[in-house]
Structures are given as C-alpha cells and as structure tokens.
Amino acid sequence: VVSSIVKVEGAAGLYRGMTAAILREMSYSTLRFGLYEPIRDALDDRPETNAALFGEDMAGAVRIVKRMFAGCLAGGVASAIASPTDLIKIRCQKDTTIPIPSFMSYVKAIAAQPGGPIMPFYEGVSLTITRAVVLGATKMTVYNEVRSRLGSLDAAAARARLQYVRRHGACRHDDDVGLHQRKDAHDV
C-alpha cells in the first residue's frame, strides 16, 4: 500500500490529510479529556458516596458505571464539537487528486454544499458520536481505573518506604530518601 501511494502520488501522498488529522485529534482529544473529569466529579464517584447510596457490595460497580457514563458524555460532546474536523480529515484522505489540494480547498468545497456553510460539516455526525460514546466509555474508564490503581500502588510503596525508615532508621534506596541515619531527639 505504501509503495503504491508513493509510486502514484509521491512521498507527499503519505501525508495527505495530515493537517486535518492533527486538527481533529487536537480538538477531539483535548475536549474529551478536558470534559471527562468535571463530568466524573459532578457524578461524585467517591467510594464512600457510592457505599452510602448503594451499599458496600455495589460501591465498586457503581463507580465503574459512573465513570463509563462520564466517558460516554465526554466522548459524545467532544465528537459533536469536533465532527467538522473529522469530516475534513476523511475527505482529504480519500481524495486521490494530484496535485494534492490544499486543506482550505476541502473546507471551501464542504461549505459550498447544499445546506452550507455550516450544516454540511455535520454530515455523518450521528455515527461519529455513536462511535465516540462507545470509545469514550471504554477508554476513559480504563484510563481512570488504571490511573487510580497506579496511584494507590505509589501510595502503598511510599507507605512501605516510610515504615521501613521508621523501623530501621535508613532507606534501602539512596535515591529515594538517602542513607541517612535517623536522628534521635538527643542528636539534634
């Protein structure tokens, strides 16, 4: 595939639609990540809240469901807003015209379609949102769960190091705390 693109379109063909792809990713991902945490926080997914409302047995499942809902909403809203950049990216990448038209020529062509200048940019928006809702639910929930688990591992490791220092007066890793002996009150 790569060699046929280079043979027909030249090396520039490999970068067809790159500007649109970068704009799409910057707008969509920034919005998705930027919206996720405020939505999640508004749903209050803290363990103590979930346990109080749904019981200890359901607290973990409720946390996951709330995070999935926040991911759905963040992904859907981000996709709806970034949909025009997605359409431009698709048009750029599927066009095989040589020489490669400019990014703005695609924008002008879409805006000139019936219903323009705004509505044509939202062609296929429902499918784009559907895909983003599913991906937002899974990606953002997994991201948040992994981040939480890694954070608790870091906290557990820090507690273990602190306990070791308290018991033995020194740390095993000189890059963490140093091989300094504990100073007792009478040494100070």
Side-chain angles (χ1 to χ4, degrees):
V1 173
V2 172
S3 62
S4 64
I5 291 172
V6 171
K7 192 181 293 181
V8 174
E9 301 178 40
L14 296 173
Y15 297 96
R16 184 184 292 271
M18 184 64 78
T19 302
I22 290 169
L23 286 173
R24 184 252 180 216
E25 197 56 39
M26 285 173 46
S27 59
Y28 171 66
S29 291
T30 301
L31 284 165
R32 185 183 61 194
F33 275 96
L35 291 169
Y36 173 74
E37 288 192 13
I39 294 169
R40 183 206 62 205
D41 293 347
L43 295 172
D44 194 7
D45 74 340
R46 292 176 300 168
E48 59 273 10
T49 304
N50 292 336
L53 293 173
F54 302 99
E56 286 290 328
D57 295 342
M58 294 299 293
V62 170
R63 182 190 73 241
I64 298 291
V65 169
K66 285 182 177 182
R67 289 178 176 183
M68 289 179 78
F69 180 73
C72 286
L73 196 54
V77 170
S79 180
I81 294 169
S83 186
T85 59
D86 208 20
L87 180 68
I88 296 166
K89 175 188 69 113
I90 292 166
R91 298 274 175 95
C92 289
Q93 290 175 340
K94 79 172 195 169
D95 186 5
T96 57
T97 304
I98 299 174
I100 298 171
S102 70
F103 172 80
M104 286 309 295
S105 67
Y106 290 103
V107 172
K108 290 174 185 173
I110 293 169
Q113 291 177 345
I118 303 297
M119 290 309 293
F121 286 99
Y122 287 91
E123 179 184 329
V125 70
S126 61
L127 293 174
T128 303
I129 291 173
T130 302
R131 178 188 56 127
V133 163
V134 172
L135 289 174
T138 55
K139 280 184 173 182
M140 299 312 292
T141 302
V142 169
Y143 154 78
N144 205 171
E145 285 296 306
V146 168
R147 194 177 85 181
S148 294
R149 304 243 191 254
L150 289 176
S152 65
L153 287 176
D154 288 344
R159 281 192 302 276
R161 267 186 249 135
L162 182 59
Q163 287 173 353
Y164 183 86
V165 170
R166 284 181 180 157
R167 281 191 207 127
H168 304 287
C171 184
R172 288 182 288 181
H173 307 289
D174 62 356
D175 62 337
D176 288 338
V177 177
L179 292 175
H180 306 289
Q181 293 296 323
R182 178 178 60 196
K183 292 188 177 204
D184 294 325
H186 66 283
D187 292 332
V188 177

